[in-house]
Amino acid sequence: MHKFLIVGFVALIIFWTNPNHAKSLEGLYFSEQLPTENGYLILGIEIFTEKGKSFYNAQELRFQNSRGWEEVLFVGKVTREGQDLLLTPEACQIRATDTWGKKMALLRRFDCDHLQFRLGTRESGLFVISESLLGTRKEVILPYVLDPVAGNPVAVRFEAPQMTTEGIWGFHLNGLGGKNPEWAWNPSKQKWEPFQGYRTQEGLQFYRWKRTFSN
């Protein structure tokens, strides 16, 4: 009986201290602004659960000097393999515009259910995905991990020389109509705080709006 209790207690300790069990992997994951041969890209992934099953939205903003802006959109399912998550897309499309601020038009849809992306962690604790959505970059580190806010509009704000103003880009942003966000992500405290104006700090900044029917 004592041996059984000891084994059970050890198993519970392992379960509680394993970060993949102790913390849900739902949330938002973002890369840095990564240079490419002709421009740069930013990758964002939203993982969420519905009716006990896990799904994801993935978006990749790409700028190329010769082509302007593209937004790659993947949606699909999430399964677990060992300590990693496997992201399998079920629908994929690319939108594009030649000028920042103009509405992006659908460029093409394409079959992508043969693809698979592996999301895991390095020894440093940083999350890494096997490659960017179109394979431009391999082993993409996702240093920004934000608390889950499934379905809420969330944007990353960044500066780029190709824009007249800073870029606002992210998930579920339709219908905001120029409204200010309600929350800002505090990276040092790792939590959302009430919005008190856009910050002037370097690097990526993250903001969240309240979800409405128009979103």
Side-chain angles (χ1 to χ4, degrees), residues 16-77:
W16 286 331
T17 56
N18 186 331
N20 288 312
H21 292 297
K23 181 179 179 181
S24 169
L25 292 178
E26 291 186 17
L28 287 158
Y29 302 76
F30 283 91
S31 72
E32 296 282 7
Q33 186 173 332
L34 302 172
T36 61
E37 184 177 355
N38 297 305
Y40 58 85
L41 65 83
I42 300 174
L43 174 62
I45 301 171
E46 177 187 42
I47 296 178
F48 59 97
T49 300
E50 288 184 353
K51 298 180 180 179
K53 295 183 178 181
S54 295
F55 302 92
Y56 79 96
N57 298 316
Q59 297 183 184
E60 185 174 296
L61 181 67
R62 304 168 60 87
F63 174 77
Q64 298 182 57
N65 291 309
S66 59
R67 300 171 64 176
W69 303 92
E70 290 183 343
E71 183 181 52
V72 185
L73 305 171
F74 283 17
V75 297
K77 60 185 179 181

Side-chain angles (χ1 to χ4, degrees), residues 82-122:
Q83 299 298 318
D84 296 340
L85 297 182
L86 298 181
L87 280 56
T88 304
E90 297 177 319
C92 302
Q93 62 178 261
I94 299 177
R95 301 173 183 171
T97 182
D98 57 357
T99 304
W100 181 258
K102 289 175 60 177
K103 184 177 181 180
M104 292 195 181
L106 178 64
L107 190 62
R108 64 187 176 100
R109 294 187 175 92
F110 56 97
D111 294 332
C112 55
D113 54 4
H114 61 286
L115 300 174
Q116 196 169 71
F117 302 86
R118 182 177 293 272
L119 177 64
T121 56
R122 290 187 168 180

Side-chain angles (χ1 to χ4, degrees), residues 176-202:
L176 291 180
K179 296 178 182 177
N180 281 332
E182 295 199 10
W183 296 275
W185 180 253
N186 186 322
S188 61
K189 296 182 179 179
Q190 290 289 293
K191 68 176 185 178
W192 293 104
E193 295 182 337
F195 176 74
Q196 297 181 346
Y198 289 108
R199 299 169 182 168
T200 57
Q201 67 194 49
E202 293 184 0

